[in-house]
Amino acid sequence: MAGRGSVRASGNFNANQDAEILYKAMKGLGTDEDSIMKLLTSRSNSQRQQIKAAYKTLHGKDLVGDLQGELGGKFETLVVALMTPPILYDVTSLRNAIKGAGTDEKVLIEILSSRTAQQIKDITAAYRQEFNKNLEEDVTGDTSGHFRRLLVILLQASRQQGVQEGNIEADAQTLFSAGEKKFGTDEEQFITILGNRSTEHLKRVFAAYMKLAGYEMEESIQRETSGGLRDLLLAVVKCARSVPAYFAETLYYSMKGAGTDDQTLIRVMVSRSEVDMLDIRADYRRLFAKSLHSAIQVYTEYLSLSQYSAIQVYTEYLSSPCSQYSAIQGDTSGDYRKALLLLCGGNDA
């Protein structure tokens, strides 16, 4: 997946010069948000960490603290996310999802179903180092039932390797017998197979299941399970098929209708910007007949309108073909909008 991000390391990089540009952008009256966003979205995360260190050396101040003092709202949230190392960003997102009243299951599902085995191991180690706590214990203390069991399996990061040719048909039959073929559902079988087999193996199982049951795996999960377990199983299946397609769908629903979710939008745009954003854009276009770039443009315009106008504009956009709306520019003065579009990296309309 290397090289499929929309954000890449700058070839002519000088941490001290970049630190000075950011210092001047925040010095005196007013803040030059354009300079800040253009610089940070054109540097890799590794380079941003070097800029942060250079800023501290040159000015004796914390760059992130200064940025927070000068910026505000969703734009500030996005910039702070850009300045956070990827593993630490995942760790902090998980901690915030768990601590306090209630659990943000959406964050647990997204991160634990989409990250590689090595990333999960790194997250577990970093969580302990950062918070002096055990991630598995925190997850189990905040969740329950089959949902908790599958989360714990995913936290082990120990999926089988390769394809077990002799088990493909047997796994498909087991899943069919555990759901569609019987009254009620044997959730344990779904959890065991979907939580432990390799993604390569699961793709073969899904194809065999379709031939056997006449349904896609996702359709059966929708019918046979519910709540957090259903959402987690669906995420695991979708990520086994295609992680970029999973994130394209996640972005679509983060901007859809009254239940918009800027935290998810920011988290995905930042965390995938150096990984597979170009693939996510391609899948977004394929799945929803609209470019991600134009969707962000319209969504951020929607945020700035009156309630009635916003609902009217965005509802029309979601239900209209790409050709009608791909050229919408709207009011591009919002810093949040500009930064999201820079992370998107281009328009596929």
Side-chain angles (χ1 to χ4, degrees), residues 89-90 93-94 97 104-116 119-120 123 147 151 154 228 231-236 239 243 246-251 254 261-272 280:
Y89 186 50
D90 279 351
S93 297
L94 288 168
D104 190 342
E105 294 182 351
K106 184 185 300 183
V107 175
L108 298 182
I109 290 168
E110 176 194 307
I111 293 176
L112 297 184
S113 63
S114 66
R115 301 311 190 249
T116 66
Q119 286 172 333
I120 295 292
I123 286 168
F147 178 60
L151 287 173
L154 295 177
D231 295 340
L232 181 54
L233 286 169
L234 286 172
V236 168
C239 286
V243 171
Y246 167 73
F247 279 114
E249 186 176 326
T250 300
L251 286 170
S254 76
D261 182 357
D262 285 285
Q263 287 296 328
T264 296
L265 176 59
I266 291 169
R267 190 172 58 251
V268 174
M269 293 300 295
V270 170
S271 66
R272 309 312 293 188
I280 291 170

Side-chain angles (χ1 to χ4, degrees), residues 5-50:
S6 56
V7 173
R8 297 181 176 86
S10 172
N12 301 311
F13 176 63
N14 185 307
N16 288 342
Q17 286 182 6
D18 286 352
E20 283 304 309
I21 290 171
L22 292 174
Y23 180 74
K24 290 175 183 176
M26 294 184 282
K27 186 180 178 182
L29 294 175
T31 304
D32 185 355
E33 289 89 351
D34 267 355
S35 292
I36 293 171
M37 77 175 73
K38 286 176 181 176
L39 190 149
L40 294 181
T41 58
S42 61
R43 303 292 186 272
S44 67
N45 192 282
S46 175
Q47 289 176 332
R48 292 181 208 125
Q49 304 315 311
Q50 294 176 60

Side-chain angles (χ1 to χ4, degrees), residues 1 9 12 36 39 52 60 72 107 126 136 156-157 164 170 216 254 270 291 295 299-300 306 316:
M1 198 66 74
N12 301 311
I36 293 171
L39 190 149
K52 180 180 176 181
V107 175
E136 183 179 328
Q156 305 316 301
Q164 287 77 50
E216 294 288 4
S254 76
V270 170
S291 74
Y299 170 66
T300 48
S306 67
E316 287 177 2

Side-chain angles (χ1 to χ4, degrees), residues 79-92:
V79 167
V80 171
L82 286 171
M83 290 303 304
T84 308
I87 293 296
L88 181 57
Y89 186 50
D90 279 351
V91 162
T92 305

Side-chain angles (χ1 to χ4, degrees), residues 103-274:
T103 305
D104 190 342
E105 294 182 351
K106 184 185 300 183
V107 175
L108 298 182
I109 290 168
E110 176 194 307
I111 293 176
L112 297 184
S113 63
S114 66
R115 301 311 190 249
T116 66
Q118 188 57 54
Q119 286 172 333
I120 295 292
K121 290 174 183 176
D122 292 343
I123 286 168
T124 301
Y127 190 93
R128 181 181 291 279
Q129 182 177 354
E130 190 70 18
F131 302 112
N132 196 29
K133 288 179 173 291
N134 182 287
L135 177 57
E136 183 179 328
E137 290 177 1
D138 281 359
V139 167
T140 56
D142 229 45
T143 56
S144 61
H146 296 297
F147 178 60
R148 173 172 62 193
R149 176 163 154 69
L150 182 50
L151 287 173
V152 170
I153 288 174
L154 295 177
L155 278 167
Q156 305 316 301
S158 57
R159 286 188 180 276
Q160 297 171 354
Q161 298 298 305
V163 177
Q164 287 77 50
E165 294 286 348
N167 292 336
I168 293 170
E169 297 295 335
D171 283 348
Q173 182 63 58
T174 298
L175 290 169
F176 181 59
S177 299
E180 297 285 358
K181 195 176 179 181
K182 65 177 288 185
F183 181 77
T185 306
D186 185 351
E187 291 91 348
E188 287 292 332
Q189 297 293 349
F190 280 84
I191 290 168
T192 298
I193 292 174
L194 297 179
N196 288 294
R197 305 293 192 263
S198 71
T199 56
E200 298 88 353
H201 182 86
L202 287 175
K203 288 176 185 177
R204 299 279 295 277
V205 171
F206 299 156
Y209 183 89
M210 179 63 183
K211 290 180 181 178
L212 178 66
Y215 302 109
E216 294 288 4
M217 192 73 250
E218 293 91 331
E219 296 177 81
S220 292
I221 289 171
Q222 288 278 14
R223 276 195 295 272
E224 298 294 328
T225 60
S226 61
L229 176 63
R230 177 189 61 198
D231 295 340
L232 181 54
L233 286 169
L234 286 172
V236 168
V237 170
K238 289 173 182 177
C239 286
R241 290 190 190 276
S242 168
V243 171
Y246 167 73
F247 279 114
E249 186 176 326
T250 300
L251 286 170
Y252 177 79
Y253 286 107
S254 76
M255 296 183 283
K256 187 176 187 297
T260 52
D261 182 357
D262 285 285
Q263 287 296 328
T264 296
L265 176 59
I266 291 169
R267 190 172 58 251
V268 174
M269 293 300 295
V270 170
S271 66
R272 309 312 293 188
S273 61
E274 291 184 57

